Amino acid sequence: MGRKVTMKDIAKDVGVSVATVSYVLNYSEKEKISHDTRLKVFEAVKRLGYVPNMAAKSLASKSSQMIGIIINLGAKNKRSKLYQYYDTVNELQRQMHKMGYDVLLLSTKEIGKEFDLVSKRSLDGVFVIGMGERQLNEIATGYYVPIVFVDGYLEDDLFFKILPDYRAVLQKAKEILQTEPQYIITEEHANDLLTRIIQEQFPPENIFVNRKDNSLEDFLQAHQQEKGIIVGELLALQAERLLNNDQFVAVISAETDSMLLPDTKRIVVSNKKKAEYAADVMKRLMNLEGFEELPKIIFVEPE
């Protein structure tokens, strides 16, 4: 059996101090640590197989005091998409730490192995972020702890889903642009509900999905005289360099500290609110009280 990975190993791999790794993993708000550094730490945690020792907390109660977060950190994900994932993880961690829980970040490369780890670590619950119906079905088939889906849709009333109100976002974009948006730019996603809503609103040639084989510059060049919607702050940041920012509205998740130009029009679908809703549902499920009254799809309204 190999040597147990430590925070020192993580620090050396990322090129930061052990203190920085500790701040990230313990979600300290005392130090200002960049999104990029936090993301690198979490990627190293997964890649090197670091698992925090929760034995001391677990001995005090039957609860492990640990919550899993499963996301897709596969090689096909572009940096802009990972940024969105990280921000959601970031906010979920905040909420669960307030409730006294530590968080274990898991990849979705091999779902079966990840749920083996859920079993071995006796996690109290799992958040699943941004997965498609096939993957969600695979998880749902073998679940045995409370599960809350965030930014992922499964046609099953057994599970709770936390989703942006996409139709409300499109309506708000129309009001801000003072016209029907002609195109939409978004990250590659696996949300069937979102796909249906987008396809209802836009023809295929006016939908740009941010994949390695697609050119954002070419798409914007073809639509430079039109007004549209750009979902994701990093995509909107790229668009600001390629066309006048009065031609689009950006859909972002950060309530403050946006990287966009001050006059770029924006709609906020707050990751903080998503996390608050998701944490509340998880708390009710773990306590087995008060969840029956909740809708199975909780929509986060745009601001």
Side-chain angles (χ1 to χ4, degrees), residues 181-192:
Q182 282 87 25
Y183 65 83
I184 187 167
I185 294 170
T186 182
E187 295 292 349
E188 188 171 18
H189 60 82
N191 188 320
D192 294 330

Side-chain angles (χ1 to χ4, degrees), residues 201-227:
Q201 181 75 21
F202 302 95
E205 64 272 17
N206 289 355
I207 301 171
F208 177 89
V209 179
N210 189 34
R211 292 189 292 257
K212 291 182 179 179
D213 56 344
N214 287 344
S215 168
L216 178 61
E217 184 172 1
D218 290 348
F219 181 86
L220 288 174
Q221 183 68 29
H223 296 272
Q224 59 180 322
Q225 301 304 320
E226 302 170 0
K227 293 191 175 184

Side-chain angles (χ1 to χ4, degrees), residues 168-169 171-177 228-233 236-237 240 245-270 302-303:
V169 168
Q171 179 58 38
K172 194 172 184 71
K174 178 181 176 180
E175 294 168 3
I176 292 173
L177 294 171
I229 302 170
I230 301 179
V231 182
E233 188 161 352
L237 193 63
E240 286 181 335
N245 64 350
D246 61 354
Q247 293 297 105
F248 65 87
V249 60
V251 182
I252 64 174
S253 58
E255 296 178 357
T256 58
D257 299 326
S258 172
M259 296 180 288
L260 301 178
L261 296 171
D263 61 342
T264 294
K265 295 180 283 292
R266 67 202 70 190
I267 297 169
V268 177
V269 181
S270 169
E303 300 172 9

Side-chain angles (χ1 to χ4, degrees), residues 39-287:
L39 180 57
K40 287 178 180 177
V41 168
F42 284 123
E43 288 175 334
V45 164
K46 174 58 191 175
R47 178 164 37 81
L48 299 179
Y50 174 80
V51 178
N53 181 9
M54 295 299 297
K57 290 185 179 181
S58 297
L59 287 174
S61 69
K62 293 180 181 179
S63 168
S64 69
Q65 293 300 113
M66 287 195 74
I67 296 291
I69 299 181
I70 299 182
I71 62 176
N72 182 1
L73 290 179
K76 292 183 179 180
N77 286 334
K78 301 194 77 169
R79 194 77 177 176
S80 51
K81 186 175 179 181
L82 291 176
Y83 178 87
Q84 288 188 8
Y85 279 158
Y86 163 71
D87 195 50
T88 305
V89 171
N90 189 24
E91 294 296 345
L92 283 171
Q93 282 186 306
R94 285 181 187 273
Q95 297 303 318
M96 299 316 298
H97 276 233
K98 288 178 185 178
M99 293 165 54
Y101 286 85
D102 278 288
V103 171
L104 181 64
L105 186 63
L106 305 170
S107 158
T108 65
K109 268 189 172 180
E110 296 181 73
I111 294 292
K113 288 187 178 180
E114 300 303 352
F115 266 80
D116 284 345
L117 183 54
V118 169
S119 176
K120 289 174 184 176
R121 297 298 300 177
S122 299
L123 301 184
D124 293 338
V126 177
F127 295 108
V128 181
I129 300 177
M131 287 194 205
E133 194 152 356
R134 182 192 60 78
Q135 292 169 307
L136 293 180
N137 269 316
E138 191 174 346
I139 292 171
T141 301
Y143 94 103
Y144 41 84
V145 296
I147 289 180
V148 177
F149 298 136
V150 181
D151 288 334
Y153 183 74
L154 178 63
E155 199 81 56
D156 190 328
D157 284 340
L158 183 61
F159 300 99
F160 289 93
K161 283 81 69 174
I162 314 297
L163 298 168
D165 190 334
Y166 304 116
R167 289 190 172 88
V169 168
L170 293 174
Q171 179 58 38
K172 194 172 184 71
K174 178 181 176 180
E175 294 168 3
I176 292 173
L177 294 171
Q178 298 182 328
T179 185
E180 289 282 356
Q182 282 87 25
Y183 65 83
I184 187 167
I185 294 170
T186 182
E187 295 292 349
E188 188 171 18
H189 60 82
N191 188 320
D192 294 330
L193 179 61
L194 176 56
T195 298
R196 289 200 298 270
I197 292 172
I198 288 176
Q199 290 175 347
E200 289 170 4
Q201 181 75 21
F202 302 95
E205 64 272 17
N206 289 355
I207 301 171
F208 177 89
V209 179
N210 189 34
R211 292 189 292 257
K212 291 182 179 179
D213 56 344
N214 287 344
S215 168
L216 178 61
E217 184 172 1
D218 290 348
F219 181 86
L220 288 174
Q221 183 68 29
H223 296 272
Q224 59 180 322
Q225 301 304 320
E226 302 170 0
K227 293 191 175 184
I229 302 170
I230 301 179
V231 182
E233 188 161 352
L234 294 189
L235 286 175
L237 193 63
Q238 294 176 60
E240 286 181 335
R241 303 181 183 128
L242 297 170
L243 78 165
N244 293 330
N245 64 350
D246 61 354
Q247 293 297 105
F248 65 87
V249 60
V251 182
I252 64 174
S253 58
E255 296 178 357
T256 58
D257 299 326
S258 172
M259 296 180 288
L260 301 178
L261 296 171
D263 61 342
T264 294
K265 295 180 283 292
R266 67 202 70 190
I267 297 169
V268 177
V269 181
S270 169
N271 272 343
K272 181 179 179 182
K273 286 188 177 177
K274 275 189 214 171
E276 288 173 350
Y277 287 137
D280 179 62
V281 172
M282 181 63 74
K283 181 179 180 180
R284 295 182 190 218
L285 289 172
M286 290 189 297
N287 292 337

